[in-house]
Amino acid sequence: HLPQMIVALIRAGVVATDLGRVLALQSDTATVRLIDIALERRGPAPSAWAWMALGSTARREATLASDQDNALAYADEDGDEHYAAVAADVNEGLARCGFGADNAEVLARNRQWRMSEADWRRVFRDCLEQPDRSHLVRAAVAFDFRHVCGGLQIVRPLVEIERQAPAHQNFLRRLARTATDWEPPLG
């Protein structure tokens, strides 16, 4: 019922920025409930974990055309099989709720977007230190993240790495260059 709700809010005069926040809140609420259901089904998590929204949902700028972009971090190297099953359940559930799966598979069910906290830290550092094309794409998606739920304290360590970006001039230069790769349709 998301489209009908958004139409009703538009007709009530709600501004676009608030609509994005409403959609992000709906996504977060559905995600938390689906995680609860998945954990009931799959059993308790073997370690602390954190579900993260990425992209427009993380920025609270979602639209009805936005798809799922999410990731999962967990404290222990062990247990990925459990988290893979939970993530698959949640991604499937979100799709049934109207939040379509990302075409590029930026989904927690994908091993690239589901990893230990240590691996997340390594990936963020690699993005800054080795800004090749794939790391720039990864940074463009992953650096816009927001903790949705779970007890793993992942935000501070990742933000501390992001704050080191000014010291990585090659990363900044190449990231700025990617912004000019896409030409907006003017005219």
Side-chain angles (χ1 to χ4, degrees), residues 67-70 99-107 109 113 141:
D67 56 11
Q68 294 180 52
D69 289 315
N70 47 56
F99 300 98
D102 181 64
N103 290 335
E105 276 295 302
V106 180
L107 301 166
R109 70 182 179 207
W113 298 98
V141 175

Side-chain angles (χ1 to χ4, degrees), residues 12-77:
V14 175
V15 296
T17 53
D18 290 340
L19 292 175
R21 290 185 183 110
V22 168
L23 283 169
L25 178 61
Q26 291 294 320
S27 173
D28 290 354
T29 302
T31 298
V32 170
R33 182 64 185 125
L34 288 165
I35 289 171
D36 288 343
I37 292 168
L39 291 173
E40 286 173 18
R41 178 178 179 208
R42 304 286 181 177
S47 64
W49 54 272
W51 188 276
M52 298 179 286
L54 305 174
S56 62
T57 303
R59 294 187 305 270
R60 293 181 176 93
E61 298 172 349
T63 70
L64 286 175
S66 296
D67 56 11
Q68 294 180 52
D69 289 315
N70 47 56
L72 182 62
Y74 46 86
D76 241 343
E77 291 291 330

Side-chain angles (χ1 to χ4, degrees), residues 92-157:
E92 181 182 319
L94 286 169
R96 285 193 317 269
C97 290
F99 300 98
D102 181 64
N103 290 335
E105 276 295 302
V106 180
L107 301 166
R109 70 182 179 207
N110 179 344
R111 186 66 173 102
Q112 267 191 302
W113 298 98
R114 181 190 70 254
M115 64 186 92
S116 71
E117 177 184 9
D119 285 341
W120 274 110
R121 288 180 189 209
R122 180 188 47 76
V123 165
F124 271 47
R125 281 192 299 270
D126 287 351
C127 287
L128 295 177
E129 295 167 3
Q130 303 163 22
D132 59 21
R133 189 86 166 138
S134 95
H135 282 114
L136 289 171
V137 169
R138 172 77 96 159
V141 175
F143 281 22
D144 275 339
F145 76 95
R146 180 172 52 79
H147 180 261
V148 174
C149 64
L152 181 65
Q153 301 301 311
I154 190 75
V155 173
R156 182 169 297 207

Side-chain angles (χ1 to χ4, degrees), residues 153-167:
Q153 301 301 311
I154 190 75
V155 173
R156 182 169 297 207
L158 295 183
V159 168
E160 285 175 6
I161 295 167
E162 287 179 331
R163 287 185 176 152
Q164 296 170 15

